[in-house]
Amino acid sequence: METLAHWINGSAVTEGDSVRTADIINPATGVVSGRVPLADAERTQQAIAAASDAFPAWRDTSLSKRTAVLFAFRELLNARKEELAEIITAEQGKVLADALGEISRGQEVVEFACGMPHLLKGGHTENASAAVDVHSVRQPVGVSAIISPFNFPAMVPMWFFPVAIAAGNTVVLKPSEKDPSAANWMAELWKEAGLPDGVFNVVHGGKESVDTLLSDERVASVSFVGSTPIAKYVYETATSHGKRVQALGGAKNHMLVLPDADLDITADAAVNAGYGAAGERCMAISVVVAVEDIADELVSKIAERTRSLKVGDGTRGADMGPLVTVEHRNKVAGYIDAGVEAGATLVVDGREGDVDADSADAFLNPTLFDNVSPDMSIYQDEIFGPVLSVVRVKSYDEGLALINDNKYGNGTAIFTNNGGAARRFENEVQVGMVGVNVPIPVPMAYYSFGGWKSSLFGDTHAHGAEGVHFFTRGKVITKRWQDPSQLGINLGFPTNG
Ligand code: NAD
């Protein structure tokens, strides 16, 4: 059984037998395909050292040369994305089409970062004072740590590393130990694209490795994506070590359906956004908030579509694959039990039904609950599985209050044909990413991705202008050349003349 290598300073680095490992398991078959090493502090420091050593030369590489590497990476990724999709499906479980979708959304960020020369342009002021000119630049921060979750092993790292690298930083990526191979594939692609050794490193591991990244003084910034408790921990720990941090956390995304919405379009959207990737998306819709007049009809349309979904191995043309692990599957099934016990109406029971796979252990079929109330655990917790809850409300105002009272604020959507109501919602909802008749409003790469409240710790969202800002520091230069007025002693504070 092979143990995956780390990728440090442009080469694969294998561990000896003494290091701890975890199994890499295909959730659709139950087959262990390999092992992932869990790096100790020393191995993690080796990756940080490689990134730190590579930084001065990469920072001073011209923008034209840096972006030429980005363009080459984009071309290779585009040409070979099927290979990466197969790796994702084999370790994460999502169906192949969905894996390709995540790669395309990551590729958009690579394309955005190809425009870095434009994005880094500063300002210039001539004659700010007598013979004084001022200009501003943005410079890279240094070693950028990226710690990513299991659900998007390619796209989430790509929210950050194209921008970080194009801006002149060097990177240590610590991917999820549940699906680690995509990171190595991308590291090898960088090498092929011509990225100098040490600019992009991958270290595999768990808490020990993460804690080293959060505290090592050579790391300048931390970009984290994962569950809310770990995001909060990462934010607090890394900021206490003086780093800039963006830590994106969990979610509970609501879709508010007003009585004038087209219910067929809305039901399609709820099913796609609720059960796509088996609900393991931070932008998945997990709560449909139905205004009562249309609730019965909407629930029946969603139920009909839910029952028609094909569940199975992601390589066999299914609509939905397995959960990432058997443990996670059992935890999600536990929520279904809890929902029934709490009195919610179980409309479609995902604990039953067939799946097309060699091992059914990590699978759950899509589940629909109606009459869910906010005190139930299926409403309160992020389940992160194919369980969709319908909460009935009497009015727009009651629906809005429900969404705004929720501790999460990642994504939300309103379904309506009333432009005025939609505009009110855009303005009043306390959530970072809002869809109007769009159930998964993931921003384009040139906007920034990020939630509010417990869905993000820090003040900077991913990619777009905010990403460029995060991976660079501002500097303002005030200058005067050979001006005779400089002659003479004056200890006063400089004023403008
Ligand atoms: P997770 O929090 O368990 O793990 C995320 C990363 O943190 C992994 O690399 C993991 O190795 C590391 N980690 C885990 N426990 C740690 C600890 N105690 N100390 C230090 N590091 C630790 O998350 P996950 O299960 O991999 O991913 C699912 C979660 O990610 C969900 O909550 C989902 O909503 C969230 N997510 C959020 C977004 C977003 O944009 N807000 C995007 C994708 C996923």
Side-chain angles (χ1 to χ4, degrees):
M1 180 79 46
E2 231 174 272
T3 301
L4 198 67
H6 307 288
W7 185 267
I8 299 175
N9 206 22
S11 305
V13 172
T14 43
E15 294 280 7
D17 289 342
S18 61
V19 87
R20 285 191 307 129
T21 60
D23 288 342
I24 306 171
I25 304 167
N26 182 332
T29 61
V31 172
V32 178
S33 59
R35 291 201 186 91
V36 56
L38 303 175
D40 59 12
E42 204 179 320
R43 183 67 76 203
T44 309
Q45 284 157 0
Q46 187 190 345
I48 297 168
S52 178
D53 292 348
F55 176 59
W58 183 243
R59 165 196 195 280
D60 287 337
T61 300
S62 74
L63 268 168
S64 313
K65 284 196 177 140
R66 289 210 304 254
T67 43
V69 177
L70 264 287
F71 276 105
F73 182 83
R74 186 265 172 211
E75 287 303 296
L76 289 169
L77 180 66
N78 192 46
R80 289 174 41 194
K81 55 184 155 200
E82 276 80 13
E83 281 173 39
L84 181 56
E86 278 171 24
I87 293 171
I88 294 170
T89 297
E91 294 186 0
Q92 201 277 346
K94 65 179 68 174
V95 303
L96 274 172
D98 198 32
L100 277 169
E102 96 159 77
I103 298 165
S104 321
R105 295 312 302 261
Q107 186 176 313
E108 283 173 18
V109 184
V110 182
E111 287 158 5
F112 168 74
C114 287
M116 194 53 73
H118 177 74
L119 296 164
L120 284 185
K121 272 165 66 179
H124 184 272
T125 306
E126 190 183 40
N127 281 334
S129 184
V132 169
D133 301 333
V134 180
H135 76 272
S136 66
V137 292
R138 294 207 68 88
Q139 297 187 329
V141 294
V143 177
S144 302
I146 300 169
I147 301 157
S148 56
F150 78 81
N151 65 326
F152 285 107
M155 182 187 77
V156 164
M158 278 196 272
W159 281 350
F160 306 107
F161 69 63
V163 180
I165 289 174
N169 301 281
T170 55
V171 166
V172 179
L173 167 63
K174 205 301 287 170
S176 168
E177 59 276 38
K178 297 196 177 89
D179 45 15
S181 302
N184 287 35
W185 189 91
M186 293 189 286
E188 290 185 31
L189 209 70
W190 272 124
K191 181 142 182 148
E192 217 176 310
L195 192 71
D197 292 348
V199 177
F200 183 77
N201 306 277
V202 177
V203 66
H204 295 290
K207 183 170 169 53
E208 185 174 353
S209 186
V210 170
D211 284 345
T212 308
L213 291 166
L214 304 184
S215 57
D216 191 294
E217 61 180 21
R218 293 167 293 186
V219 174
S221 72
V222 176
S223 301
F224 172 91
V225 181
S227 56
T228 287
I230 312 293
K232 190 162 185 284
Y233 166 77
V234 165
Y235 180 75
E236 287 169 354
T237 310
T239 50
S240 78
H241 285 91
K243 305 182 192 319
R244 55 174 65 184
V245 185
Q246 46 183 183
L248 285 68
K252 193 82 184 175
N253 305 315
H254 297 62
M255 173 199 264
L256 175 58
V257 185
L258 301 190
D260 61 14
D262 179 310
L263 295 188
D264 285 308
I265 291 175
T266 306
D268 284 346
V271 168
N272 296 340
Y275 304 125
E280 290 172 327
R281 288 183 185 140
C282 64
M283 290 292 277
I285 290 291
S286 50
V287 183
V288 172
V289 183
V291 175
E292 264 170 6
D293 322 32
I294 46 87
D296 285 342
E297 196 184 343
L298 180 63
V299 169
S300 108
K301 284 178 186 290
I302 295 176
E304 187 191 325
R305 288 160 172 78
T306 301
R307 290 191 189 98
S308 75
L309 294 178
K310 282 188 294 168
V311 179
D313 187 317
T315 62
R316 296 187 190 172
D319 296 311
M320 195 187 100
L323 280 295
V324 68
T325 59
V326 176
E327 295 71 37
H328 187 54
R329 181 261 171 222
N330 292 340
K331 187 174 166 202
V332 175
Y335 275 108
I336 303 176
D337 301 340
V340 173
E341 205 162 299
T345 311
L346 184 58
V347 183
V348 183
D349 186 352
R351 296 167 300 186
E352 296 166 355
D354 295 331
V355 299
D356 176 19
D358 290 349
S359 163
D361 293 353
F363 283 88
L364 260 182
N365 277 295
T367 295
L368 179 64
F369 275 114
D370 191 7
N371 297 306
V372 173
S373 61
D375 56 321
M376 296 177 184
S377 66
I378 52 169
Y379 176 80
Q380 302 247 320
D381 297 351
E382 180 185 37
I383 299 174
F384 221 53
V387 180
L388 190 58
S389 294
V390 177
V391 177
R392 295 176 176 230
V393 293
K394 293 199 166 43
S395 62
Y396 164 88
D397 287 316
E398 193 185 333
L400 178 76
L402 182 76
I403 298 170
N404 285 349
D405 283 348
N406 196 274
K407 68 178 177 182
Y408 296 108
N410 212 40
T412 189
I414 186 168
F415 274 69
T416 179
N417 278 309
N418 179 337
R423 188 175 181 282
R424 251 190 88 185
F425 186 73
E426 289 169 34
N427 176 255
E428 294 173 344
V429 77
Q430 302 287 308
V431 173
M433 293 172 282
V434 182
V436 175
N437 299 320
V438 172
I440 306 189
V442 173
M444 297 299 292
Y446 41 90
Y447 285 87
S448 298
F449 182 107
W452 288 13
K453 302 188 274 187
S454 291
S455 294
L456 189 142
F457 300 87
D459 45 19
T460 314
H461 292 188
H463 59 70
E466 295 200 27
V468 176
H469 194 272
F470 182 80
F471 287 114
T472 55
R473 261 192 288 250
K475 186 184 269 182
V476 180
I477 296 102
T478 305
K479 58 206 173 182
R480 172 160 51 195
W481 293 102
Q482 296 161 343
D483 174 18
S485 72
Q486 282 176 280
L487 287 171
I489 303 297
N490 179 356
L491 300 192
F493 193 68
T495 54
N496 296 323

